[in-house]
Amino acid sequence: MAKQDAIALLKTDHATVKKMFEKEEKLTKHDGQKKQDIFNQIRAALEVHATIEEEIFYPAVKKARSENVKDEVREAYEEHKQIKSLLAQISSITSADETYDMKIKVLKEDVEHHIKEEEGEMFPDAKKFLGEHRLIELGAKLESRKEQLEATLTSKPASSNQPKRHSAK
């Protein structure tokens, strides 16, 4: 199997998360547990993705001698902060909360905006400044770190974002 370059790996992650959002959108209020399960998958995928970008990809891209590229990376970090804040807010409520669906919608819009900017601006610049060999090296590092993070996630108990047991009805 040919080694995947960093951009191909990150684009695959983007496509996976978009599909998860599409699944979530098809659910209704009556699918409470399914909504939360899909949100947990989205959150895990985004946390792993953001971590590998922040630890490996962004620092490599930021080394480009272009101020424009450095600005793209700075903006990406800020977008990650905003997305992480929304993930934390959604994690603290259940799908029965009246703000749940709107928060998911805003999260989806923020993620889609971030993907569009990365794929439209940062990735072409990364290709130009880093070159194919370096992108393949980074792809291997990203893949390895991603596997490590996913293994850590699956070994943790899934206790967050569970419906409250003692709700008054």
Side-chain angles (χ1 to χ4, degrees), residues 2-169:
K3 286 284 182 192
Q4 188 171 208
D5 78 32
I7 292 171
L9 183 141
L10 296 173
K11 280 185 172 182
T12 299
D13 282 1
H14 291 170
T16 300
V17 169
K18 282 180 179 180
K19 282 188 180 108
M20 288 181 201
F21 275 115
E22 287 170 13
K23 273 188 193 174
E24 200 284 333
E25 277 183 329
K26 290 177 183 164
L27 299 174
T28 67
K29 281 271 188 215
H30 303 294
D31 299 314
Q33 190 56 53
K34 283 183 185 171
K35 285 175 93 56
Q36 292 200 205
D37 291 346
I38 289 178
F39 169 72
N40 287 333
Q41 292 171 19
I42 291 169
R43 184 184 66 208
L46 289 174
E47 286 172 351
V48 168
H49 183 80
T51 300
I52 65 174
E53 281 186 332
E54 291 173 6
E55 289 178 2
I56 299 163
F57 189 69
Y58 290 172
V61 173
K62 200 172 180 181
K63 287 180 182 170
R65 298 211 189 293
S66 162
E67 199 53 43
N68 182 47
V69 174
K70 290 176 183 174
D71 284 346
E72 290 170 4
V73 173
R74 288 183 199 109
E75 184 178 350
Y77 277 116
E78 290 304 314
E79 289 171 350
H80 277 195
K81 282 184 196 171
Q82 189 170 320
I83 289 167
K84 288 174 186 176
S85 172
L86 267 171
L87 289 170
Q89 289 173 43
I90 298 166
S91 294
S92 70
I93 60 176
T94 70
S95 60
D97 187 290
E98 66 181 18
T99 65
Y100 185 87
D101 287 333
M102 288 304 108
K103 287 184 188 309
I104 292 284
K105 183 180 180 189
V106 171
L107 175 66
K108 179 181 184 257
E109 290 169 355
D110 285 358
V111 168
E112 286 175 346
H113 170 82
H114 180 70
I115 288 170
K116 185 179 176 191
E117 287 197 345
E118 277 189 347
E119 292 185 1
E121 298 170 20
M122 186 188 296
F123 290 177
D125 286 342
K127 251 182 200 163
K128 183 170 123 185
F129 288 106
L130 297 174
E132 188 179 342
H133 179 72
R134 181 72 176 120
L135 286 171
I136 289 172
E137 274 178 12
L138 288 170
K141 286 182 181 178
L142 290 169
E143 182 92 39
S144 173
R145 182 67 174 126
K146 184 178 174 181
E147 287 170 6
Q148 186 182 41
L149 290 165
E150 287 171 342
T152 305
L153 277 177
T154 55
S155 66
K156 282 185 192 173
S159 60
S160 61
N161 201 11
Q162 295 298 313
K164 315 287 185 273
R165 296 260 184 247
H166 304 288
S167 59
K169 289 194 177 178

